Each structure stands twice: as structure tokens, then as C-alpha cells.
Amino acid sequence: MGPKNDTEPGTETPPEALHRPVMLGEVLDLLQVGADHDYVDGTLGLGGHAAAILEKSAPEGRLLGIDRDQRALSLAERRLAGFGSRAQFRHGTYDRVGEFLNELGWAEVHGMVLDLGVSSLQLDDPERGFGFLQDSALDMRMDLEEEVTARELLDDLPEKELEAIFREYGEERFARRIARLIVRSREENPIRTTRELCQIVSRAVPFSKAQKIHPATRVFQALRIAVNRELDLLRKFLSKPPDFLKVGGVLAVISFHSLEDRIVKWAFRSFENFQILTKKPLRPGAEEVSINPRARSAKLRAVRRLE
Ligand SMILES: C[S@@+](CC[C@H](N)C(=O)[O-])C[C@H]1O[C@@H](n2cnc3c(N)ncnc32)[C@H](O)[C@@H]1O
């Protein structure tokens, strides 16, 4: 994993082995991917969903892939090179989809998919600080051109704001204790690495054998969401109906966090002239979860544009 994957052709792990697309069959069914239709993948990642959509929309269907992570985008571009100009790429956030489609001169598309959250490539890259299994600098930016890192949030935010982040984005019961210990620790020494943060969290949270996940999991998730303003961007994108869809076109969103799912659910209900295709969110089957644990918290919702 890591930089080797996009710098040494011939030695790298293929993208399809790095990240498995979640609920792929369900997404393809909801989008009803058809020959020669056009699509957008707003969170291209390593191109798993995109590759399947391009295959199913052959021979002339096109796909615009957007990702804010240049490294993921470059890998996906290589993976999808065989589709030639049927695959187009843009670096940026998915709320800019209208602007990108205008640039390409694609008026309306038949569908769009969002698969929110982090990719396995990001989580496993020891340089990026998303995971706590390796020791690395506290970065967590999906887009390395953005300015604020996790380290800066930990250095600068008042205790109350840190607490709110851990409570809201991490659903962490011990948010106050963790925030307090972070502030006390940083007065002595700034927190610089994932390991240091992990140690502070372990000291703040009472150890219990019953815990299924490492106590730092929720804190890392919360910081990642804050650093990347994930919920703000989702709200911005869903603040108006997806009018770049053709009549009959479908928007499908896979979320991994209850706050994300709630935003998607209420936004879909507010769209006029759209039909909700998933009264309840679809969940991955037991078989998928056993092969791909990242899928376990996935919820998939979709809407279709009406006349
Ligand atoms: C879970 S991965 C997508 C995996 C992809 N569906 C696949 O099958 O390979 C999520 C990707 O979305 C990107 N991302 C997250 N939020 C984004 C946003 N607001 N705009 C654009 N890309 C975003 C991340 O950088 C990451 O590469």
C-alpha cells in the first residue's frame, strides 16, 4: 500500500485488490445501467463501481469520475484507461458535478452514484494518518491541497469544540474526557502522531473487554469527518434536487454513518418531482459483509427523477 502503488508501475497491487466496491449489484440494479447511457461517479475512489458501470454501458456509455483525492484519481485513471475517452476525470468535490458536466458539454446524465467515506487505499496508507494501526503523522486530508489537517484541529480547537466533534461525528460516550485529556496533553507537548493520539484516547476511555472496537476508532472517524468537512459537503450537494439527471435518471448514495444517512433520507424526501426508490435503506447481505467487513455499516438509498 502507499506511494509505491502509484509510482512504480509493474510492482503495484492492482486497484481492484485494494478496495472492493460496496453493494455493487444493488447499485447497478438501482441505476438500471443501460447501453450507451452516461453516468457520474462522484466518489470515484479506485474505480470499482465505475469500472462495472462502464462495462455495462458499453459500447458508447460514458462516465465522469470525480474524486478529491488526487492519488486515488490517478490510480483509477490508470485502471479505467482501457475505456478510452468513455471515462472522464475531474479532481474536486462532488458538489461541483454541475460545473464539471458543463465543462464536458454533457447536458444531463442517466445516473450518479456516491459511495461516501474513505477508501481502503486511504485507510491503509501509512503516510496519511487515517488509521491508527500504523504510526504516522496526524494528517487525514483526503485532498492534500486542502489546508487544515487533523493535527491542526487537535492543536487549535477549544476543548468544547473537540468534545462536540467526538460526540457528534464519533458518537463517542467519553467525548468530554477525551477532549479534556487532549487539551491537558497538548499544553505540555503538541500531539503529533496517530500513536500519541491513540495513547491519549486509551487513557481517557475506561477499558472494557466487552468493547468490540478499539476505543480510538470513533475518535479517528470523527476527526476525519471534521477535517474533510464531509457532512457539510454532503448537505451542500443535496441542498437542491439533482437537476443534472435526465427524466428517469437515478441518484444512489451509499453512506456509512447514521448522520450521513439521515441527511440523505431527509434531502430525498424534500425533492419535488423525484420518486424515492428505497423506502428503507438497502443493506448489504451477510455474505458481502463476511467478505468485506467495510460494508457492514453501509446503507444505500436512491431517488429517480420524474417527469
Ligand atoms: C469509499 S471510496 C469510493 C470507492 C469506490 N466506489 C470504488 O469502488 O473504488 C470514497 C472516495 O470518495 C472520495 N471522496 C470523499 N468525499 C468526497 C467529496 N466530497 N468529493 C469528492 N470525492 C470525495 C474519497 O477521496 C475516496 O476516494
Side-chain angles (χ1 to χ4, degrees):
M1 298 278 179
K4 214 168 94 197
N5 292 313
D6 61 349
T7 53
E8 291 174 33
T11 62
E12 68 268 39
T13 318
E16 46 276 40
L18 293 175
H19 184 96
R20 234 176 244 279
V22 169
M23 301 187 75
L24 179 59
E26 292 87 341
V27 168
L28 295 176
D29 282 351
L30 284 165
L31 293 181
Q32 297 198 332
V33 178
D36 304 339
H37 288 179
D38 294 337
Y39 297 90
V40 178
D41 185 336
T43 51
L44 184 66
L46 297 185
H49 290 98
I53 291 171
L54 281 159
E55 272 159 28
K56 271 199 101 175
S57 62
E60 307 258 344
R62 298 176 299 184
L63 177 131
L64 161 63
I66 303 170
D67 204 293
R68 66 198 301 198
D69 183 339
Q70 186 58 59
R71 189 173 282 177
L73 202 63
S74 305
L75 281 172
E77 232 175 303
R78 256 206 261 157
R79 174 180 188 178
L80 303 175
F83 294 102
S85 62
R86 289 180 56 210
Q88 296 289 326
F89 305 92
R90 288 290 183 277
H91 178 224
T93 47
Y94 55 72
D95 51 287
R96 296 171 62 195
V97 55
E99 170 194 335
F100 295 144
L101 288 172
N102 275 337
E103 276 174 23
L104 287 166
W106 298 8
E108 288 176 332
V109 294
H110 294 85
M112 174 168 178
V113 60
L114 290 181
D115 171 19
L116 301 170
V118 269
S119 70
S120 308
L121 172 85
Q122 292 166 329
L123 265 183
D124 297 339
D125 186 338
E127 284 179 16
R128 312 232 0 217
F130 284 106
F132 51 84
L133 295 178
Q134 320 92 343
D135 194 20
S136 65
L138 281 160
D139 189 323
M140 301 198 194
R141 286 169 303 166
M142 289 181 179
D143 182 347
L144 295 172
E145 290 171 14
E146 296 268 342
E147 283 179 5
V148 180
T149 64
R151 172 180 143 176
E152 275 148 354
L153 294 187
L154 290 170
D155 272 351
D156 300 338
L157 287 185
E159 186 176 320
K160 279 277 163 225
E161 277 182 49
L162 286 173
E163 179 187 337
I165 287 174
F166 301 146
R167 190 177 310 287
E168 196 182 336
Y169 301 160
E171 297 171 287
E172 172 56 64
R173 269 201 303 150
F174 299 103
R176 180 175 302 173
R177 292 165 67 146
I178 296 168
R180 192 177 305 153
L181 200 55
I182 285 173
V183 170
R184 221 182 287 153
S185 309
R186 80 184 179 194
E187 281 162 6
E188 287 165 23
N189 277 311
I191 305 160
R192 289 286 168 260
T193 66
T194 52
R195 182 168 302 150
E196 285 166 19
L197 177 60
C198 231
Q199 283 164 350
I200 292 172
V201 176
S202 302
R203 271 167 44 213
V205 175
F207 177 76
S208 145
K209 280 196 179 140
Q211 272 172 352
K212 284 205 196 106
I213 59 168
H214 191 285
T217 310
R218 285 185 290 267
V219 168
F220 273 67
Q221 169 187 285
L223 275 173
R224 188 204 85 214
I225 291 175
V227 167
N228 296 290
R229 297 172 294 117
E230 291 176 35
L231 303 181
D232 292 346
L233 288 169
L234 182 63
R235 275 193 208 99
K236 184 172 169 207
F237 170 69
L238 293 172
S239 64
K240 57 183 179 52
D243 52 9
F244 52 86
L245 290 176
K246 289 182 191 290
V247 169
V250 171
L251 169 64
V253 183
I254 305 172
S255 61
F256 293 88
H257 189 292
S258 58
L259 290 177
E260 284 172 347
D261 182 56
R262 217 173 299 152
I263 293 169
V264 176
K265 172 169 134 184
W266 288 105
F268 281 7
R269 286 191 188 176
S270 76
F271 294 163
E272 275 178 31
N273 290 329
F274 280 78
Q275 177 197 2
I276 293 178
L277 299 176
T278 46
K279 265 211 170 94
K280 288 209 162 138
L282 304 186
R283 306 295 312 265
E287 197 183 336
E288 174 168 2
V289 175
S290 72
I291 299 169
N292 183 11
R294 201 185 82 84
R296 72 180 176 270
S297 47
K299 288 186 179 161
L300 169 58
R301 295 184 185 268
V303 276
R304 179 192 290 135
R305 185 169 183 182
L306 301 171
E307 293 292 336

